[in-house]
Amino acid sequence: MQLLNRTGLILLWLAAPLVAFAAANKNDPYLLVLRGAGNIALVVTSIVIVIVLLRRGRWCTTAGKLLVMLWCVPPLLMSAAHLKFELRKHDVLAASAAEAGQLGPHFMVGYSSLPEVARLAEQGLIGGVYVTRHNIRGRTVEALRAEIAALQDKRRAAGLPPLVVAADQEGGIVGHLAPPLTKLPALATLAGLAPDDQQAKAAEFGRIHGRELAGLGVNLNLAPVLDLKPPVRRNRLDFHTLIGQRAIATDPAVVSAIASAYVRGLEQSGVGATLKHFPGIGRVRTDTHHFSANLDTPVKELEATDWLPFREVLSHSRSALMVGHVTLTAVDPDRAASHSKRVVEEIIRDKWGYQGVVMTDDLVMGAIYQHDVCQAVVEAINAGVDLLLVAYDGAQFYRIFACALDGSRRGRLNTAMLRASEARLARGFPSEQARAVSSTVSVARQN
């Protein structure tokens, strides 16, 4: 029994700093699983441990007092973290109409709470929403359709443009709304077919995705992947990118042909495509969901290989372009491509002449979030990025929008870039189309 008591005390000493760390960082994306019930359980556990220690007389010794005080810390740290979050949230929600009008259209956010995202939509603090598996889990297609229509109705009532509504339906291992939507194979499975069959099947895949997404009220698909399939096995720590399973092929011509046909199918159904992840993540071995990554390939080599599909598909579609969080060292070794002016303005805008919508990959990914988020946000806007994506953890929107708000109030944002971006967003996502989708869904809901 004495051994068990000592073991228990040792475990309490070891656990106290870990629990305190979790409490202080309760809003971190890595601790998303602890939100809500997990946070309550952590606080209750800390209080119960303090009570048990006091009942057992641990306050009588110096070491016991220290242990009791250690277990009093987590609830205090969690309260401080929650207060900080609420103050930041209040500041964002209190933004003026002019600030919301200037910055809001450039943010797309994932969400769990409909009332919360509806408030952001009504106030013009966001320009789009991202729907994924937790928005459909345990629910019907009709319920999600009605939810999206309700958001669009609120936008109309507020006199604001329709929301861009995005989903991530690539096929294969990335099909976040399938089921209940149709689960299609990855486009990579078409690479071995004859050229005519490749394009016919890819267009069919695009039409199926487009028809089902449009029926939900989704008007932008975050697909297809245009990264070239990596020639070698990636790092074992690559738990999430898994580009070897998602990329279409190693041959740029095959990638271009299949992706072009897929995009045509999507667009025929009234859904826009998003080409990703420029400048290419097939050559990097690091998973940008968690770590920074360098792409060290010379630009001339990339232009002759990896970038061919991007330029080809962009040249004959209205696709958006997603820029990833890899650092293109030959162009800008100091920052990821997603917020590099040298990459976005000098290559994509000036050299390629692309004037469509450019968006970031999810800013909650470790390659950005674990560094100076505010600097990345300001630099992305000033580089000419049109949409900043906050997908995995929608609660981080308040932190990320606060960065843009602070940048605006300090005069650090390029207003000319913001105006040009607003014009691109208007051209890239026709409001008539979004209104038609929303109206169709609203009528269907009423009938």
Side-chain angles (χ1 to χ4, degrees):
M1 181 63 76
Q2 197 171 29
L3 179 61
L4 287 175
N5 287 338
R6 287 181 179 177
T7 302
L9 284 173
I10 291 171
L11 291 175
L12 287 176
W13 278 104
L14 293 174
L18 294 176
V19 173
F21 177 83
N25 294 278
K26 67 178 288 289
N27 297 314
D28 191 276
Y30 279 103
L31 298 178
L32 181 60
V33 292
L34 292 180
R35 302 261 176 89
N39 286 169
I40 294 171
L42 189 149
V43 170
V44 170
T45 299
S46 298
I47 294 172
V48 168
I49 289 173
V50 169
I51 292 172
V52 170
L53 289 173
L54 291 174
R55 280 178 169 267
R56 295 194 175 184
R58 294 296 173 185
W59 192 255
C60 298
T61 66
T62 302
K65 289 178 181 177
L66 181 57
L67 184 59
V68 169
M69 287 189 289
L70 275 176
W71 278 100
C72 288
V73 169
L76 297 176
L77 290 177
M78 185 170 288
S79 297
H82 184 70
L83 178 61
K84 181 179 179 182
F85 175 83
E86 289 298 329
L87 289 173
R88 179 182 286 149
K89 179 178 177 179
H90 178 270
D91 188 43
V92 168
L93 294 175
S96 69
E99 290 172 325
Q102 181 189 52
L103 302 175
H106 306 282
F107 286 86
M108 177 183 289
V109 62
Y111 69 94
S112 297
S113 167
L114 178 60
E116 187 166 6
V117 79
R119 183 175 182 182
L120 298 178
E122 285 180 301
Q123 291 187 217
L125 292 167
I126 55 174
V129 293
Y130 167 75
V131 292
T132 187
R133 56 173 60 92
H134 68 256
N135 298 107
I136 195 75
R137 187 183 293 121
R139 306 175 67 199
T140 64
V141 169
E142 290 72 21
L144 182 56
R145 181 188 299 128
E147 183 172 290
I148 292 171
L151 288 173
Q152 298 289 28
D153 289 344
K154 289 181 181 295
R155 290 286 282 194
R156 269 200 307 277
L160 294 168
L163 293 167
V164 178
V165 183
D168 206 350
Q169 291 290 93
E170 296 176 11
I173 62 172
V174 178
H176 294 163
L177 298 180
L181 300 190
T182 303
K183 188 171 180 60
L184 294 176
L187 290 175
T189 60
L190 308 180
L193 302 178
D196 288 347
D197 293 335
Q198 285 177 353
Q199 294 188 42
K201 291 293 289 183
E204 181 186 354
F205 283 9
R207 285 191 294 272
I208 293 171
H209 276 159
R211 185 168 58 248
E212 294 185 341
L213 291 173
L216 272 176
V218 173
N219 48 41
L220 181 68
N221 192 16
L222 304 186
V225 169
L226 265 60
D227 309 281
L228 297 189
K229 190 178 286 289
V232 295
R233 187 175 180 180
R234 288 173 67 90
N235 193 315
R236 290 183 179 180
L237 295 178
D238 176 15
F239 300 118
H240 293 98
T241 301
L242 302 172
I243 201 64
Q245 299 178 52
R246 298 164 61 196
I248 295 172
T250 56
D251 184 345
V254 173
V255 175
S256 296
I258 291 176
S260 293
Y262 176 81
V263 169
R264 283 198 301 274
L266 271 181
E267 291 184 342
Q268 286 168 4
S269 305
V271 175
T274 308
L275 314 184
K276 60 187 188 186
H277 312 78
F278 184 81
I281 57 176
R283 295 176 184 262
V284 299
R285 303 194 68 213
T286 307
D287 186 347
T288 52
H289 287 84
H290 307 289
F291 311 104
S292 299
N294 290 338
L295 177 57
D296 298 321
T297 310
V299 168
K300 284 189 176 180
E301 184 176 345
L302 291 170
E303 288 177 334
T305 53
D306 299 54
W307 294 357
L308 288 177
F310 289 100
R311 298 198 69 173
E312 171 67 17
V313 182
L314 286 176
S315 69
H316 55 254
S317 73
R318 299 188 64 187
S319 301
L321 178 64
M322 178 182 286
V323 183
H325 300 317
V326 298
T327 300
L328 185 57
T329 55
V331 175
D332 191 345
D334 299 321
R335 56 189 53 79
S338 55
H339 56 104
S340 169
K341 192 177 185 71
R342 295 179 191 172
V343 172
V344 177
E345 185 175 39
E346 295 180 17
I347 294 179
I348 298 172
R349 301 292 189 201
D350 295 344
K351 190 171 184 180
W352 290 11
Y354 174 68
Q355 295 304 318
V357 172
V358 171
M359 67 185 299
T360 69
D361 205 343
D362 189 359
L363 293 176
V364 185
M365 293 166 67
I368 297 295
Y369 195 83
Q370 301 303 324
H371 301 281
D372 190 337
V373 179
C374 283
Q375 180 179 338
V377 168
V378 169
E379 289 182 348
I381 292 172
N382 289 341
V385 172
D386 304 300
L387 280 175
L388 282 70
L389 178 63
V390 185
Y392 170 70
D393 181 6
Q396 304 310 320
F397 165 76
Y398 297 105
R399 177 182 178 187
I400 291 170
F401 190 90
C403 292
L405 201 57
D406 181 69
S408 176
R409 290 169 178 174
R410 291 174 180 265
R412 296 177 58 206
L413 296 185
N414 187 322
T415 54
M417 280 292 190
L418 283 165
R419 285 195 297 271
S421 179
E422 184 179 352
R424 284 191 295 267
L425 286 170
R427 292 196 303 269
F429 304 103
S431 58
E432 295 80 13
Q433 176 182 322
R435 284 197 181 96
V437 171
S438 179
S439 298
T440 300
V441 174
S442 295
V443 170
R445 183 181 54 183
Q446 292 166 5
N447 291 338

